[in-house]
Amino acid sequence: MNEMDTKSIISEAESVLMKTYGRYRIVLEKGDGVYLYDTEGKEYLDFCAGIAVFALGYNNKEYNDALKAQIDKLIHTSNYFYSEPSVKAANALKKASGMDRVFFTNSGTEAIEGAIKLARKRYYEKKGVADSEIIAMEHSFHGRSMGSLSITGTKKYRIPFEPLIGGVKWAEFNDIESVKAQITDKTAAVIIEPVQGEGGIHPASKEFLAGVRELCSEKDVVLILDEVQCGMGRTGSMYACQQYGVKPDILVTAKALGCGVPVGAFCATEEVASAFKPGDHGTTYGGNPLVCAAVNKVFELFESLDILENVKRTGKLLEKKLDEITESYGFIKERRGMGLMQGLEFSIEVKDIIAKAIDSGLMLISAGANVIRFLPPLTVTEDDICKMAYILTGVLDSVSR
Ligand SMILES: *Cc1c(COP(=O)(O)O)cnc(C)c1O
């Protein structure tokens, strides 16, 4: 096949791919560290990391070599057999999450589906009837498949696809009274993102998360924490809930877990996990040797590169820089976030600002119409953050004039 030029790649993409995304007219070709390069050779400082996926930055040699070695050995086995990479990966995840058992999936949304099924199965085992309810939060995001969509707080994502799964009740994030008001004898689970991502970067308050934990324990309800975005070191601890001192019954992880290969997982305590019996759940690809070789290398590199330390240090600088920017522009309302998961809320729409930033060589994404999200690779340096702030300031100056 001939090498396609940038224009023809874009026009063919528009004719062959489903029109589910409004894409920027950029064709990305390669990445290195915190930088991306397009087919025209233009360089971008990346503060999206493929939506919180590339925690280790692009083109990490050790990671690439581990994948290549596993490709030459064995890519896939099916889950009817054991393989060493998946056992190692499950153990590493067990240790990182503080949970007892792990089920690997191919994506975040699929891990959420599994978590819903597990919570419902536990309820069914206990009560002998299938009439359970789940309490989800307003402005939450849990994915695009039918179950995940059913518990996603943004109405416009849900309505065209109804009827969705039943028994979902809504509570206000950071409002313990509203969760109490929804809890009944039928509640199987409460699901929360410790830091809401797509909903606009809203960290849970300490009182709220601890309060929900207490409430769930008291009522024998499963607490599911969705750490697909805020997990894997993003906030400065392996999982955000660890900074809250809150242990869930089910923890859901994905995005940075494989740093680019499709892998997610839901993990649970022994008591909750024991509700699943052989045949209750499955996946063909989930947790195959290839993706698990990636997961193992990711956990190894988190240690050897001291990723959590870097997040804590650079996260502080990112907060400081964004606070300075917030104070300088009347159209920025506030900064919110934890570690290297930050958001700036504007009083105006951010679409054009992001387009200008990308034009200026800085990759950013939004979280809703008014929030710019900052999710750099977790290997980002203080210099990178200063450079980001410099480019962004230039863009904001051109907007305010
Ligand atoms: C991205 C995301 C998901 C869905 O993950 P996919 O891999 O896109 O299916 C679920 N929950 C949260 C909090 C997310 O940010």
Side-chain angles (χ1 to χ4, degrees):
M1 203 179 98
N2 288 331
E3 289 270 321
M4 295 167 80
D5 65 38
T6 302
K7 272 213 174 92
S8 57
I9 292 172
I10 293 173
S11 67
E12 262 197 49
E14 288 306 320
S15 74
V16 73
L17 295 172
M18 289 203 193
K19 294 180 180 281
T20 50
Y21 287 96
R23 291 186 169 86
Y24 295 100
R25 296 184 62 81
I26 292 167
V27 182
L28 292 174
E29 191 171 62
K30 58 185 185 190
D32 195 31
V34 294
Y35 287 94
L36 283 167
Y37 299 87
D38 70 14
T39 41
E40 315 280 288
K42 184 169 168 168
E43 181 180 87
Y44 302 88
L45 176 59
D46 181 19
F47 268 61
C48 315
I51 321 185
V53 168
F54 268 93
L56 299 167
Y58 300 95
N59 204 21
N60 180 293
K61 188 173 182 315
E62 248 189 82
Y63 171 88
N64 291 358
D65 287 346
L67 280 179
K68 287 173 195 165
Q70 189 60 46
I71 286 171
D72 288 337
K73 269 196 210 160
L74 183 63
I75 294 176
H76 178 77
T77 55
S78 98
N79 281 306
Y80 287 108
F81 303 97
Y82 300 100
S83 81
E84 189 178 326
S86 38
V87 178
K88 276 187 164 171
N91 252 321
L93 183 52
K94 176 181 157 157
K95 197 173 136 220
S97 65
M99 297 281 101
D100 299 320
R101 289 187 184 270
V102 172
F103 186 103
F104 286 113
T105 64
N106 306 286
S107 66
T109 198
E110 195 191 332
I112 294 287
E113 297 290 331
I116 297 172
K117 279 183 71 178
L118 180 56
R120 278 191 168 183
K121 183 72 200 309
R122 178 178 177 273
Y123 177 96
Y124 183 75
E125 295 261 307
K126 291 210 155 189
K127 309 254 172 122
V129 276
D131 62 352
S132 66
E133 295 170 349
I134 294 177
I135 300 175
M137 301 299 125
E138 298 286 356
H139 309 295
S140 63
F141 180 86
H142 298 295
R144 303 293 199 151
S145 54
M146 296 306 265
S148 307
L149 193 56
S150 306
I151 53 171
T152 284
T154 312
K155 268 209 181 91
K156 71 163 195 233
Y157 291 159
R158 292 199 312 266
I159 285 170
F161 306 101
E162 288 178 344
L164 296 168
I165 70 166
V168 178
K169 295 197 162 179
W170 300 99
E172 277 298 328
F173 187 69
N174 277 343
D175 177 355
I176 185 74
E177 291 308 319
S178 82
V179 180
K180 278 186 187 157
Q182 298 299 333
I183 256 185
T184 69
D185 290 346
K186 292 185 177 179
T187 311
V190 177
I191 182 163
I192 295 174
E193 296 156 82
V195 184
Q196 287 191 332
E198 307 292 320
I201 312 292
H202 293 276
S205 70
K206 282 223 153 91
E207 309 75 64
F208 178 66
L209 214 56
V212 175
R213 173 66 278 177
E214 204 178 316
L215 186 63
C216 286
S217 300
E218 190 188 306
K219 304 269 183 188
D220 195 22
V221 164
V222 169
L223 175 61
I224 305 172
L225 292 183
D226 178 352
E227 296 228 19
V228 170
Q229 191 163 153
C230 63
M232 288 304 290
R234 172 97 0 227
T235 65
S237 51
M238 211 56 211
Y239 286 95
C241 60
Q242 291 157 352
Q243 285 180 65
Y244 288 85
V246 165
K247 191 179 162 192
D249 304 294
I250 302 178
L251 183 133
V252 186
T253 182
K255 289 200 165 95
L257 177 63
C259 281
V261 297
V263 57
F266 59 104
C267 319
T269 60
E270 187 68 48
E271 186 267 316
V272 170
S274 69
F276 266 172
K277 305 289 185 286
D280 277 341
H281 197 56
T283 165
T284 297
Y285 287 136
N288 76 21
L290 178 65
V291 299
C292 285
V295 171
N296 285 323
K297 190 45 87 175
V298 168
F299 279 119
E300 253 180 70
L301 287 166
F302 261 70
E303 294 262 315
S304 62
L305 299 175
D306 222 345
I307 291 291
L308 295 181
E309 259 325 292
N310 193 57
V311 175
K312 282 181 211 154
R313 203 183 60 249
T314 55
K316 275 200 197 102
L317 181 66
L318 180 59
E319 285 188 359
K320 179 167 167 273
K321 289 283 173 193
L322 293 179
D323 283 340
E324 284 167 13
I325 287 173
T326 304
E327 277 180 21
S328 311
Y329 298 93
F331 49 74
I332 304 181
K333 282 162 88 176
E334 64 168 352
R335 174 196 64 78
R336 293 187 295 264
M338 281 167 74
L340 292 178
M341 180 174 188
Q342 299 286 339
L344 282 186
E345 181 168 339
F346 287 63
S347 53
I348 53 175
E349 291 211 352
V350 297
K351 204 165 135 242
D352 293 346
I353 298 172
I354 289 178
K356 275 190 184 172
I358 294 175
D359 247 12
S360 311
L362 171 63
M363 289 285 185
L364 294 172
I365 39 168
S366 62
N370 297 321
V371 176
I372 297 183
R373 242 189 303 187
F374 300 82
L375 303 166
L378 305 184
T379 52
V380 73
T381 65
E382 273 144 334
D383 281 351
D384 297 328
I385 288 170
C386 292
K387 187 169 170 190
M388 179 284 294
Y390 177 78
I391 300 174
L392 183 60
T393 301
V395 170
L396 295 172
D397 281 344
S398 78
V399 172
S400 63
R401 254 185 277 118

